[in-house]
Amino acid sequence: MTSDLFDLTGRVALVTGGASGIGLGIARALSGAGASVVIGDLSGEAATRVAAELTADSGNPTLGLEADVTVAEEAEALVARCVSTFGGLDILVNNAGIGIHVRPEEMTMEQWDKNVSVNLRAVFHLSKIAYAHLCAGGGKIINIGSMYSIFGAGEVPAYAASKGGVVQLTKSLAIAWAEQNIQVNAILPGWINTGLGAQGRREMEGLNERVLARTPANRWGEPEDLAGTAIFLASGASSYVTGVSIPVDGGYSVT
Ligand code: NAI
C-alpha cells in the first residue's frame, strides 16, 4: 500500500538536461520507479546512450533526444515526441541549466541573456508547452533551483537571479494551475558532484573548502541524493504539496 504511493508505472516523464549529472540521476530514479522517460539534452549522443542504459537497468522504456530547450521548435518537438511515443506527458522535470561565471560589472548582456534563457525562460516555455498534456490526468512539474535561489552570488549574478526566479515561477504556476490538478514544486540542490560542480571548483577559488566547511553533512552531494525527493514530487505521495522549494543540501541552507 505504502509503496504504491510512489509507484510511477504508466506515467510519462520528460527530463531536460537528463544526459548527465543531476538530470541523469533524476531520470534514473523516475525510470526505476516505473515511469517511461524521455531525456532531452543538448548532446543527442549522450542522451541516446544513457537512455539505452536506463532501459536495460529498469526494464522501462527510455528515449534520448537531442534538443536545445532555448530553441522554441526544439522544445515543442520534445513534448510532441513524449506524446507520440508514450501517449502523453505526466511529469516535466525542468533540469537543464548552465552557470556563467562573470562578475556583474564585466558581464555582457549576451552572457546575461544566455544564462537566463536556459535557467528561467526555458523553464517557463517548457511548462507552457506541457500544460495541455499535464492537465489530462493530474500532472507534475519539478523545477531545479539552487542554493543561489536563496543566497546572492557576486561571482554568478545571472545564475543567481535566474535561480531565484525559478522559485517565484514555481509558486506562480502552482497557484495558476492548482485547479487543473497540476502540482508545481522545485528542488534546491546543495553542492552536487557533477560537471557543473566541477566547473564551480575550477572557476571559484576556495569553493571546495567553503562547501565542506558550511555543509553539516560534511561532503558534496551525489546525483543519487536527489532521487527520493524527485520520486516524491513526481508521485501521488505529493498530491497536496504544491508551490514549495525543497532544499536537498546536506543542511547547507540552514547554517
Ligand atoms: P551538468 O552540467 O552536469 O548537466 C547539465 C545538463 O544539461 C548537460 O547534460 C547539458 O548538456 C544539459 N544542457 C545544458 N544546456 C542545455 C540546453 N540549452 N538544452 C538542453 N540541455 C542542456 O549540470 P548539473 O550539475 O547536473 O546541473 C543540473 C541542474 O542542477 C542545473 O539546473 C543546475 O543549475 C542545477 N544545480 C546544480 C548544482 C550542482 O552543484 N551541481 C547545485 C544546484 C543546482
Side-chain angles (χ1 to χ4, degrees), residues 17 20 22 41-42 67-69 95 97 144-145 159 163 190 192 194-196:
S20 68
I22 289 173
D41 201 285
L42 271 186
D68 181 340
V69 293
N95 164 78
I144 305 303
Y159 183 83
K163 291 296 186 179
I192 312 294
T194 65
L196 195 64

Side-chain angles (χ1 to χ4, degrees), residues 22 26 92-95 119-120 123 127 140-147 149-150 162-174 183-190 226 228-234 238 241-249:
I22 289 173
I26 291 176
L92 168 65
V93 183
N94 282 308
N95 164 78
N119 292 12
L120 182 58
V123 172
S127 302
K140 304 281 191 178
I141 298 178
I142 303 170
N143 296 325
I144 305 303
S146 161
M147 285 299 97
S149 296
I150 308 172
S162 60
K163 291 296 186 179
V166 164
V167 168
Q168 288 301 97
L169 179 61
T170 298
K171 293 179 193 171
S172 301
L173 296 182
Q183 286 86 52
V184 187
N185 294 292
I187 298 174
L188 310 184
L226 303 162
T229 309
I231 293 171
F232 168 64
L233 292 178
S238 59
V241 177
T242 199
V244 302
S245 294
I246 303 178
V248 180
D249 62 355

Side-chain angles (χ1 to χ4, degrees), residues 21 40 71 88 128 202 205-206 217 247 251:
V71 176
K128 190 171 142 62
R202 276 195 311 276
E205 207 186 321

Side-chain angles (χ1 to χ4, degrees), residues 23-48:
L24 176 55
I26 291 176
R28 182 175 284 120
L30 302 185
S31 174
S36 303
V37 177
V38 174
I39 289 172
D41 201 285
L42 271 186
S43 169
E45 182 277 319
T48 308

